[in-house]
């Protein structure tokens, strides 16, 4: 996860779109290193046969503003109850707000990502509605391959779709400014949503998350602005990918092979018709930016020098063996600077 540090600088602004035409369609803290590994999807989107049944309860009314800035809410999807933490900006006003959904890492939970990332503070200054969903079994189904532990690999995609639909329907979220982000397994979940639902997601950011390869491979299906932030010395999910993962622990989901962080970024650049990569070095990181294609979707990869499987700029100490935290930038501010201008 992450360790004691504060941000020293942010990378130079990257080219990105400010608007693109609306497309058709609607929308660890695990101590064992292998437990943070993840997978994603092969199908372009999950079956639409059984649409989720949704009801919302909790600290915020489904028909009006939340009574407090922070709260825990519940959502009924496919006959089951899911939970999420919600942070509303103090001066949100009465209209729909840009929405960021932030997925925690495998073995962790919503509150841990909230503390690890400091996203509340970064989102507050931008007037952004922030949601931290809870995964079932402390892991996200970032792969479409069914397993004995997760026979329905598309459940988390439907949960995310329903969560967005509920917040839009109640007037809290702007459907044209829906963003996804995450750490590790949660980063891969964010990339899965961007890959499968380019008609729903206006931008995505992953910290220490890659796309899977092999039988669980996912291929981006349309242009989406994507930012990937990665530690050059990540010992858990290496920068170069994990083509041959070892076995999972007893009762755990299989560990999914992943492509490299750069190949993950390139897959989104190709799907968006982006131009060739422009590479530059910064103080403590290297940057690769694929210039926006016809739809205006830029893709960027930041590789943090000497960093491990951690959230750059975090003040929360990572588990033993996850490696150091970069202080070259504040990942939360960096990813929101990238995402905030994007519109669908």
């Amino acid at each position: 996860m992450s360790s004691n540090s504060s941000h020293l600088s942010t990378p130079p602004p990257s080219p990105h779109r400010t608007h693109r035409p609306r497309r058709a369609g609607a929308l660890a803290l695990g101590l064992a290193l292998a437990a943070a590994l993840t997978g994603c999807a092969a199908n372009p989107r999950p079956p639409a046969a059984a649409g989720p049944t949704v009801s919302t309860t909790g600290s915020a009314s489904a028909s009006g503003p939340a009574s407090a800035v922070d709260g825990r809410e519940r959502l009924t999807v496919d006959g089951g109850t899911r939970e999420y933490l919600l942070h509303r900006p103090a001066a949100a006003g009465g209209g729909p707000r840009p929405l960021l959904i932030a997925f925690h890492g495998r073995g962790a939970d919503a509150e841990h990502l909230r503390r690890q990332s400091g996203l509340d503070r970064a989102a507050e200054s931008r007037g952004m509605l922030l949601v931290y969903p809870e995964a079932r079994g402390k892991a996200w189904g970032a792969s479409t391959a069914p397993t004995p532990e997760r026979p329905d690999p598309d459940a988390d995609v439907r949960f995310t779709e329903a969560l967005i639909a509920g917040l839009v329907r109640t007037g809290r979220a702007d459907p044209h400014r829906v963003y996804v982000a995450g750490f590790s397994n949660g980063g891969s979940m964010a990339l899965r949503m961007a890959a499968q639902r380019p008609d729903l997601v206006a931008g995505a950011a992953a910290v220490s998350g890659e796309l899977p390869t092999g039988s669980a491979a996912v291929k981006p299906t349309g242009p989406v602005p994507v930012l990937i932030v990665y530690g050059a010395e990540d010992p858990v999910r290496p920068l170069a990918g994990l083509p041959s993962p070892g076995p999972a622990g007893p009762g755990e989901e299989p560990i999914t092979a992943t492509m490299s962080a750069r190949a993950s970024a390139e897959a989104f650049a190709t799907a968006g018709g982006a131009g060739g990569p422009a590479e530059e070095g910064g103080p403590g990181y290297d940057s690769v930016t694929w210039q926006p294609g016809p739809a205006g979707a830029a893709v960027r990869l930041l590789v943090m020098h000497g960093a491990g499987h951690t959230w750059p700029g975090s003040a929360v100490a990572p588990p033993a063996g996850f490696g150091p935290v970069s202080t070259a930038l504040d990942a939360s501010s960096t990813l929101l600077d990238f995402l905030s201008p994007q519109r669908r």
Side-chain angles (χ1 to χ4, degrees):
M1 304 295 183
S2 318
S3 125
N4 304 333
S5 61
S6 59
H7 89 280
L8 301 181
S9 63
T10 56
S14 63
H16 50 60
R17 62 183 182 181
T18 57
H19 175 74
R20 57 190 170 105
R22 184 178 182 182
R23 293 184 295 271
L27 347 25
L29 184 60
L31 294 182
L33 298 184
L37 306 182
T38 185
C40 285
N43 298 336
R45 77 178 280 183
T53 301
V54 184
S55 66
T56 312
T57 60
S59 64
S61 166
S63 60
S67 58
V69 171
D70 299 308
R72 179 174 290 271
E73 298 193 359
R74 294 177 177 82
L75 182 70
T76 301
V77 183
D78 295 342
T81 300
R82 304 292 296 266
E83 295 189 353
Y84 57 94
L85 297 179
L86 183 141
H87 177 82
R88 291 177 60 88
R97 310 303 302 174
L99 168 66
L100 175 66
I101 295 179
F103 301 99
H104 61 75
R106 184 168 176 171
D109 58 20
E111 181 58 35
H112 183 270
L113 179 61
R114 186 180 183 185
R115 291 185 288 106
Q116 174 193 23
S117 66
L119 276 167
D120 281 12
R121 181 178 63 257
E124 181 79 31
S125 66
R126 294 164 176 82
M128 185 174 286
L129 186 67
L130 183 55
V131 168
Y132 302 92
E134 299 279 11
R136 283 181 172 156
K138 294 187 179 293
W140 295 104
S143 166
T144 55
T147 67
E149 296 77 18
R150 192 182 296 271
D152 181 356
D154 298 323
D156 284 337
V157 173
R158 293 198 304 274
F159 167 45
T160 306
E161 292 172 332
L163 178 55
I164 294 168
L167 292 169
V168 169
R169 186 181 63 250
T170 56
R172 291 183 279 178
D174 180 349
H176 302 292
R177 294 184 291 172
V178 174
Y179 315 110
V180 289
F183 176 72
S184 189
N185 169 236
S188 291
M189 185 67 206
L191 295 180
R192 178 181 180 182
M193 290 303 302
Q196 294 187 210
R197 296 306 312 272
D199 59 325
L200 173 64
V201 173
V207 178
S208 299
E210 296 167 321
L211 289 174
T213 188
S215 61
V218 58
K219 295 182 180 179
T221 57
V224 180
V226 169
L227 171 67
I228 298 176
V229 181
Y230 226 89
E233 306 301 327
D234 190 326
V236 176
R237 176 67 69 180
L239 177 68
L242 192 67
S244 301
E252 294 180 354
E253 294 184 56
I255 299 168
T256 304
T258 59
M259 61 179 68
S260 70
R262 178 154 185 156
S264 299
E266 287 173 339
F268 282 100
T270 298
E279 305 192 25
E280 59 182 337
Y285 62 87
D286 294 322
S287 172
V288 187
T289 301
W290 289 261
Q291 301 302 318
V299 177
R300 194 175 192 200
L301 170 66
L302 297 178
V303 178
M304 313 308 299
H305 299 169
H309 195 70
T310 53
W311 188 282
S314 177
V316 175
F322 272 49
V325 177
S326 172
T327 59
L329 58 79
D330 176 350
S332 295
S333 292
T334 298
L335 69 87
L336 290 188
D337 285 345
F338 178 87
L339 295 174
S340 294
Q342 316 298 345
R343 294 181 64 89
R344 179 177 65 80

